[in-house]
Amino acid sequence: MFEDNDFIKTCDVPGPTKEAIRAIIVYKSEVKSTDVVVDCGCGTGGLTCEFAQRAGKVISIDTNPEAIEVTSKNLKKFGLGDNVTLINDDGANALKDIDNIDIAVVGGSGRQLENILDIVDEKLNPKGRIIITAILVDTKVEATNKLKSLGYNPKLMEVNVSNGRILDRGILMISENPIAIMTAQKR
Ligand code: SAH
């Protein structure tokens, strides 16, 4: 597990997904060394790097070329990347060419969430897992309704993390933005 400050960042690309959230996602994904993982909306590469360390193969997609560049730099920084393919495209398009997915992480979808979930559902192996992170209330509702309509039984967890800043006069807790983690498993 890497620390948030270890990642190279650039101002136009969101991420990395914070350490505690990455830990929950990795745990919930039950990732195995033979798994094929898709990271749709790889951003800074926070989740891509975690999965690159643990999965058989990772395919990371982002519409923003700068996200692809910074993800590539972070993989190199951590000595990872041999098992990672980076694709600069919309997830709704790139996913059409990817089969046999064990874990699909959707960390960014723009207005394509329903489309992306339709394709993910087609390409996901039996027992495959879908993990969606959401900061907007609307995304939580849209994702939950879409997963239900596709026959999944989605679970939703909202995570509020505070980190201690140690000062001379005591410890100040600083909170991160709340984030929802939605998970669903294909039958
Ligand atoms: N999990 C990442 C942060 C994701 S930020 C990390 O740990 O670093 C969300 C990303 O999703 C952004 O970089 C954005 O460009 C991308 N994105 C938004 N809509 C997308 C889509 N339809 N297809 C692919 N990427 C998308």
Side-chain angles (χ1 to χ4, degrees), residues 2 10 17 38 43 56:
F2 314 101
T10 165
T17 299
V38 170

Side-chain angles (χ1 to χ4, degrees), residues 13-17 22 39-47 61-64 67 89-92 107-110 112 116:
V13 180
T17 299
R22 297 200 307 275
D39 184 10
C40 176
C42 60
T44 299
L47 290 168
I61 308 161
D62 207 295
T63 42
N64 182 354
D89 198 353
D90 196 302
S109 51
Q112 295 289 341
I116 287 171

